[in-house]
Amino acid sequence: MEIRILSLSEINLAIKEEIASLLRRKPNAVLGLATGSSPIGVYDELVKAHKAGDISFNEVTSFNLDEYIGLNSDHPQSYRYFMNSHLFDHIDILKSRTHIPSMDKNSEDYYETYDNKIKDHGGIDFQILGIGSNGHIAFNEPGTSFDSLTHIVDLKESTIKDNSRFFNDVNEVPTKAVSMGLKSIMNTKRIVIIITGKNKANALKRLMSKEITTDFPASILHRHPKVTIYADQEAASLL
Ligand code: F6R
């Protein structure tokens, strides 16, 4: 696992450049996308590059990591709404090719279908991740099996608390989500994980300790051959 310590704006540009170069090589690439604050700057750069005529997403397919259960897609805190407003509405991606796991069909089969659909598209070429302060990636909380595929998750209290900053009240934060599993993430071909800010310093320190344990889900990434951590100085302050 490689680590690059850069300023926030350098991180956003570097990841944008990786995606731009992938799309030049493979215009119909499959992107794995995250929500949350970490990837917003990257999405801003992608929108800028698209508006400048440098990249087209016309043939791109995307799969998001996760979605809350209990929020409609037009709810401002739903991840579908987030993706539309931060990225999809401002680029030429076909919405029909953007996938977000949802509760439309409430059966386990449906969630397996999400992984199968990714496989049918040839797998995810480039996956963007953020990390929770407890080491979660997507909504795979501590204790999640390394063999997990897309599944329903009960969110941990620490995650609900972390995410309550986006809601009026902590009681409005959904307690369940649908999430790609740790195995689904490990099946992706290239991973970048964005770790920025002081509140992620402990998580980054633990990740760099190289201990692989389900207590700290992101630690599974040590077993993936192509992961780059993009961290800023604040997150790297305890290394
Ligand atoms: C979001 C996701 C989460 C976030 C993580 C960090 O799709 O999968 O794992 O990446 O909670 O969130 P931020 O970036 O808001 O600190």
Side-chain angles (χ1 to χ4, degrees):
M1 182 165 357
E2 173 201 25
I3 177 161
R4 297 184 67 191
I5 300 171
L6 300 169
S7 71
L8 196 54
S9 54
E10 287 168 337
I11 291 171
N12 296 334
L13 282 171
I15 297 176
K16 182 271 289 179
E17 204 32 63
E18 279 205 45
I19 293 173
S21 116
L22 169 66
L23 296 187
R24 281 192 285 271
R25 280 194 322 273
K26 186 175 179 188
N28 64 347
V30 179
L31 301 180
L33 302 174
T35 58
S37 19
S38 304
I40 289 180
V42 174
Y43 297 155
D44 289 347
E45 290 301 334
L46 290 175
V47 169
K48 257 193 245 166
H50 170 68
K51 293 209 159 127
D54 294 340
I55 354 179
S56 169
F57 295 83
N58 195 244
E59 296 176 48
V60 165
T61 297
S62 73
F63 288 91
N64 262 76
L65 287 168
D66 43 20
E67 176 62 288
Y68 285 122
I69 291 175
L71 301 185
N72 291 329
S73 55
D74 57 357
H75 188 289
Q77 295 310 331
S78 77
Y79 289 173
R80 164 56 75 184
Y81 188 98
F82 176 102
M83 289 311 302
N84 286 348
S85 57
H86 285 285
L87 188 64
F88 300 153
D89 284 346
H90 312 289
I91 59 175
D92 59 346
I93 198 165
L94 298 177
K95 288 262 175 72
S96 57
R97 290 202 188 130
T98 65
H99 304 280
I100 298 201
S102 79
M103 275 301 286
D104 290 351
K105 300 196 184 93
N106 190 2
S107 81
E108 283 301 320
D109 277 0
Y110 174 68
Y111 302 115
E112 260 174 46
T113 305
Y114 197 70
D115 290 275
N116 287 335
K117 212 188 261 176
I118 294 172
K119 217 190 265 167
D120 290 347
H121 282 85
I124 290 175
D125 294 300
F126 189 91
Q127 177 67 55
I128 300 179
L129 295 179
I131 189 172
S133 52
N134 63 1
H136 74 229
I137 47 176
F139 272 133
N140 296 290
E141 301 284 8
T144 306
S145 161
F146 283 167
D147 287 329
S148 51
L149 293 170
T150 304
H151 61 298
I152 296 177
V153 186
D154 289 313
L155 300 180
K156 291 264 191 276
E157 215 168 298
S158 57
T159 302
I160 293 173
K161 204 166 144 243
D162 279 357
N163 291 3
S164 65
R165 66 192 191 277
F166 300 113
F167 292 80
N168 296 323
D169 187 282
V170 69
N171 296 318
E172 288 178 15
V173 186
T175 55
K176 284 178 184 281
V178 187
S179 176
M180 275 169 64
L182 293 170
K183 192 169 180 185
S184 327
I185 292 171
M186 290 298 282
N187 284 337
T188 66
K189 296 171 197 163
R190 158 95 180 116
I191 296 174
V192 298
I193 178 162
I194 304 169
I195 308 183
T196 60
K198 260 216 156 57
N199 62 335
K200 299 287 173 72
N202 276 313
L204 180 57
K205 186 173 174 210
R206 183 145 185 210
L207 183 59
M208 294 315 284
S209 79
K210 298 202 168 79
E211 184 204 359
I212 301 177
T213 163
T214 53
D215 287 347
F216 193 75
S219 64
I220 195 181
L221 297 175
H222 286 292
R223 293 191 182 146
H224 191 286
K226 283 190 89 179
V227 179
T228 301
I229 300 170
Y230 281 94
D232 68 358
Q233 288 290 352
E234 287 193 338
S237 60
L238 299 178
L239 297 184

